[in-house]
Amino acid sequence: MLFPDYRPRRLRRNEAFRRMIRETRLSVDDLILPLFAIGGKGVKNPIPSMPGHFQLSVDNIVKTAREAYELGIPAIILFGLPDKKDPLGTQAYAKNGIVQKTVREIKNKLPDLMVITDVCLCEYTDHGHCGIVEGNIVDNDATLDLLARTALSHVQSGADMVAPSDMMDGRVTEIRNVLDDNGLSHVPIMSYAVKYCSAYYGPFREAADSAPRFGDRKTYQMDPANALEAIREVSMDVEEGADIVMVKPALSYLDIIHRVREEVDLPVAAYNVSGEFAMIKAAEKMGWIDGERVMMETLMSIKRAGADIILTYFAMEAAKILRNDSMKAS
């Protein structure tokens, strides 16, 4: 079809036409809100690099979770900041650890809100790595039992889903087996299947106090140059029992999201990470961009690439806009 017989602008002429032929639709149902839990009461510590986000004590997390729930956001994902750290990250799987206490309180107050927990050790170890360290090497196989114990403790506290983010080989199998052996075969796993060793995580590491104290995570997180490896990682996690597979980060890896969507028939999640959030907020503050429009365009791009689920710090802002748009349309 060629001009003048075909005129694409005919169907862009007004908002009604544009709505009728819109190929990708973003919904509040697509969003998951990350939250950071810390001890104490009445605590609301601002995260400077993530405007509008805080380290929250349990009482304040419940308030924020309620606001998210009332906006229609179906799920939150919890990260914990323990009172103390040690080489084995024992607070990650402690019965009364910060995540475990927070899950119990949220499920008590908001039983219909889905609570997902991040399963990793980096926030709980004094060295800041995602597993047990022997010398200067993260011991993959020795870490698996601790990750499984962490996942089990989260589910026994009431978590609806666990999300291992450590990138240890074989951890999905280990977690699946432990959950099944404890009568929890109904609990799904959302695997961080494709997690790149990215510079976009900087603000998160401030928020979660999880930066490694030595070295980096290049031996277990993926090389940003690799795409075929992403498919191998996803395929392995699917075979091990993952119910949802995730790509992290999102914006610099839209091609990976698309390739994963083409390869697997499971739901695909993408994490719109802290650095992506911070860049938009910083440019908005400087007056260089329309932050609201860039936010929504960014989320739409992730959805268009193939993500079914988007973990994003923009979740509540986007939910308000989507609700208002829905009300206007009706």
Side-chain angles (χ1 to χ4, degrees):
M1 296 185 290
L2 297 173
F3 176 84
D5 297 314
Y6 177 55
R7 292 177 178 266
R9 287 184 57 191
R10 288 173 181 154
L11 296 179
R12 301 175 195 152
R13 188 160 51 91
N14 58 47
E15 180 60 19
F17 278 144
R18 292 191 293 272
R19 283 175 50 207
M20 287 167 60
I21 66 165
R22 192 157 287 149
E23 298 173 24
T24 305
R25 298 183 184 277
L26 187 66
S27 164
V28 69
D29 295 339
D30 305 326
L31 307 177
I32 294 174
L33 173 67
L35 293 172
F36 299 94
I38 195 168
K41 188 172 182 180
V43 179
K44 191 174 183 180
N45 298 331
I47 302 167
S49 56
M50 298 171 63
H53 287 270
F54 306 86
Q55 297 168 341
L56 299 168
S57 52
V58 175
D59 53 325
N60 279 328
I61 277 207
V62 170
K63 292 177 185 176
T64 302
R66 186 181 302 279
E67 183 181 351
Y69 177 72
E70 290 173 352
L71 285 168
I73 295 170
I76 62 167
I77 183 166
L78 284 178
F79 300 88
L81 289 90
D83 294 331
K84 60 181 180 179
K85 303 187 181 199
D86 58 52
L88 298 180
T90 57
Q91 287 299 301
Y93 39 91
K95 182 178 180 179
N96 289 311
I98 183 61
V99 166
Q100 290 82 352
K101 288 190 290 188
T102 304
V103 170
R104 288 194 290 268
E105 190 64 19
I106 293 173
K107 294 306 293 185
N108 180 48
K109 297 290 180 21
L110 298 164
D112 294 330
L113 177 67
M114 177 176 287
V115 177
I116 306 165
T117 57
D118 179 81
V119 175
C120 195
L121 301 182
C122 61
E123 296 130 84
Y124 304 91
T125 54
D126 54 11
H127 47 72
H129 279 284
C130 301
I132 296 174
V133 171
E134 298 289 345
N136 285 331
I137 303 297
V138 175
D139 188 328
N140 187 98
D141 294 6
T143 300
L144 298 181
D145 176 63
L146 300 188
L147 294 170
R149 288 172 64 183
T150 300
L152 179 61
S153 72
H154 290 176
V155 176
Q156 289 176 333
S157 298
D160 298 290
M161 181 187 293
V162 291
S165 63
D166 54 283
M167 288 300 284
M168 297 297 118
D169 297 339
R171 88 275 205 211
V172 174
T173 291
E174 193 81 10
I175 291 170
R176 184 73 275 159
N177 288 343
V178 165
L179 293 180
D180 290 357
D181 290 346
N182 283 273
L184 298 166
S185 61
H186 60 283
V187 176
I189 298 171
M190 178 169 66
S191 170
Y192 289 66
V194 183
K195 183 177 180 181
Y196 285 93
C197 189
S198 172
Y200 284 94
Y201 303 149
F204 173 90
R205 290 178 180 175
E206 175 190 14
D209 187 27
S210 63
R213 302 298 186 260
F214 65 88
D216 53 42
R217 295 179 176 149
K218 291 180 181 178
T219 64
Y220 46 102
Q221 294 179 357
M222 283 183 53
D223 186 332
N226 293 356
L228 292 176
E229 184 185 8
I231 304 306
R232 293 197 295 273
E233 286 276 7
V234 165
S235 299
M236 184 167 68
D237 283 7
V238 170
E239 288 196 23
E240 289 183 14
D243 300 280
I244 300 171
V245 291
M246 188 197 303
V247 177
K248 180 184 181 183
L251 276 184
S252 290
Y253 301 90
L254 295 176
D255 60 319
I256 305 300
I257 296 170
H258 181 70
R259 290 181 73 156
V260 170
R261 174 70 286 159
E262 294 289 301
E263 290 285 335
V264 303
D265 59 4
L266 293 180
V268 175
Y271 203 138
N272 177 213
V273 298
S274 60
E276 297 165 354
F277 173 86
M279 289 191 301
I280 292 174
K281 286 297 184 182
E284 179 184 37
K285 184 176 181 179
M286 294 298 294
W288 294 337
I289 61 170
D290 181 329
E292 187 174 287
R293 288 185 62 193
V294 171
M295 169 184 71
M296 298 306 290
E297 188 174 337
T298 295
L299 296 175
M300 185 65 77
S301 75
I302 298 168
K303 179 77 172 180
R304 190 183 64 242
D308 302 291
I309 299 164
I310 304 172
L311 293 79
T312 178
Y313 301 97
F314 289 120
M316 294 222 283
E317 294 175 72
K320 291 173 185 176
I321 291 170
L322 291 167
R323 182 177 63 178
N324 289 341
D325 288 349
S326 177
M327 290 173 65
K328 290 175 185 177
S330 61

